[in-house]
Amino acid sequence: MNTLIDTYGRVHRNLRVSLTDRCNLRCTYCMPHDFAAWLPSEHQLTTDELVRVIEIAVSEGINEVRLTGGEPLLRPDIVEIVSRINAIENPPKLTMTTNALTLEKVAKPLVDAGLTRINISLDTLDRDRFKLMTHRDRIDDVFAGIKAAQDAGIDPIKINAVLLKGVNADEAPALLEWALANNLALRFIEQMPLDAGGIWERSSLVTADDIYADLSTRYELAPCDGRGSSPAEEFFVNGGPATVGIIGSVTRPFCGACDRLRLTSDGQLRSCLFSLEEMDLRTAMRNGASDEDIAARFRKTVAGKLPGHGINDPKFIQPQRPMSAIGG
């Protein structure tokens, strides 16, 4: 088994794989409501290409794969993808991040195919706010998807929430109360400068400190030990065992322990969400590259990884790709 180690000593074990840049929501912090700058369909990796890249990544030391989007459940072959990844020799731990709009229909087949963990994006419990934030009236579908995942035995189920000033910033305690009551693991994520509309402003950021302070008005929070390479700072709630996580990507960067690489749906390998460079695996594969050639591209990408994302550097440049085209 090989190991992907960068020049700063970080061992890379985690690969985020975007299955599509398409999405059936239009979350305001991700893309404009009329967004239509989708990647050409012929550029999307086929199922065979996806599985091949993941198999090579596993041979290089990757042991966890997260399927993302856009919205990964929009791939009609999503169950096949999960099944084939689990058929790889020494299969990686397999997770998925989804908005859960169509999860009710496929939760059981996904579990049967080998999916055991899932992250679901939900920023508000209020129907009107959900419509405002996503431009879709589908919060009931999200709740139905969560229940279907629980009924199918997926555990843990993590809920990812982004708070926006003037929209849902007051909901942190209510979201945690709901998550605790429903045996869900809640994680708050600072809004990152990766929106297609270019509306991100530091002055409007709901920070990790803001979230912690708000939660502390109702709950006693105590830090958990052993964070490792996890992006979330975890806190015991009222003595535990339940926890809540806060991902301070902007104000509390965790780049020094990052173990992640990212594969876009059109086959570009990235060392960081905010990387300005990509390694083209799709063209290489379609031009007949060997598995060793692809593996070498993984090693080169890791070798070129920077020490941090640079968001707080005055010279920071936002990537041209939005989050939906990179994969969360």
Side-chain angles (χ1 to χ4, degrees), residues 106-112 115 146-155:
V106 294
K108 184 61 165 60
L110 286 172
V111 169
D112 291 343
L115 188 72
I146 292 170
K147 183 179 185 305
Q150 291 175 319
D151 291 345
I154 297 178
D155 184 48

Side-chain angles (χ1 to χ4, degrees), residues 31-49:
M31 65 179 73
H33 70 90
D34 58 351
F35 183 78
W38 309 114
L39 296 168
S41 57
E42 64 270 19
H43 288 182
Q44 304 285 321
L45 293 185
T46 66
T47 303
D48 287 344
E49 289 169 337

Side-chain angles (χ1 to χ4, degrees), residues 46-289:
T46 66
T47 303
D48 287 344
E49 289 169 337
L50 276 167
V51 174
R52 181 186 176 198
V53 171
I54 293 170
E55 193 164 17
I56 293 169
V58 168
S59 74
E60 289 299 303
I62 293 296
N63 62 18
E64 182 170 349
V65 170
R66 178 182 300 279
L67 303 178
T68 70
E71 171 47 47
L73 296 184
L74 290 181
R75 282 283 296 232
D77 56 349
I78 182 61
V79 175
E80 178 189 353
I81 290 172
V82 170
S83 178
R84 290 184 60 179
I85 292 172
N86 274 290
I88 292 173
E89 185 178 357
N90 299 315
K93 289 183 284 187
L94 188 58
T95 65
M96 179 185 294
T97 297
T98 173
N99 61 29
L101 293 194
T102 60
L103 184 58
E104 183 179 19
K105 301 176 182 178
V106 294
K108 184 61 165 60
L110 286 172
V111 169
D112 291 343
L115 188 72
T116 58
R117 296 186 296 165
I118 200 164
N119 286 30
I120 295 174
S121 301
L122 180 64
D123 305 316
T124 179
L125 303 174
D126 182 87
R127 179 184 301 276
D128 290 335
R129 286 182 174 180
F130 186 90
K131 289 166 61 177
L132 177 67
M133 296 184 73
T134 68
H135 296 277
R136 302 289 188 271
D137 185 10
R138 300 193 63 180
I139 195 170
D140 289 340
D141 292 327
V142 180
F143 292 139
I146 292 170
K147 183 179 185 305
Q150 291 175 319
D151 291 345
I154 297 178
D155 184 48
I157 298 173
K158 296 182 178 180
I159 304 296
N160 294 341
V162 176
L163 301 179
L164 304 179
K165 284 185 178 179
V167 182
N168 66 334
D170 61 338
E171 280 196 72
L175 280 163
L176 181 53
E177 180 181 13
W178 168 79
L180 294 173
N182 289 279
N183 194 32
L184 302 166
L186 179 63
R187 305 195 309 173
F188 293 98
I189 305 174
E190 286 184 342
Q191 182 192 7
M192 292 178 282
L194 284 168
D195 58 296
I199 64 172
W200 186 88
E201 292 183 0
R202 186 177 295 271
S203 60
S204 64
L205 182 67
V206 179
T207 68
D209 286 347
D210 295 334
I211 297 166
Y212 182 89
D214 200 10
L215 292 175
S216 296
T217 63
R218 190 180 302 181
Y219 299 97
E220 179 183 337
L221 303 180
C224 301
D225 294 329
R227 178 179 180 180
S229 60
S230 171
E233 291 182 83
E234 295 282 345
F235 301 89
F236 288 114
V237 180
N238 293 341
T243 64
V244 64
I246 301 176
I247 301 178
S249 304
V250 177
T251 65
R252 299 181 183 177
F254 39 87
C255 304
C258 181
D259 68 344
R260 290 170 294 286
L261 297 171
R262 298 174 185 273
L263 180 71
T264 67
S265 62
D266 60 343
Q268 308 303 306
L269 186 64
R270 301 171 63 89
S271 62
C272 175
L273 261 177
F274 299 94
S275 177
L276 299 179
E277 297 181 355
E278 300 177 334
M279 180 67 72
D280 188 352
L281 304 187
R282 182 194 73 242
T283 300
M285 285 191 292
R286 293 180 182 178
N287 286 341

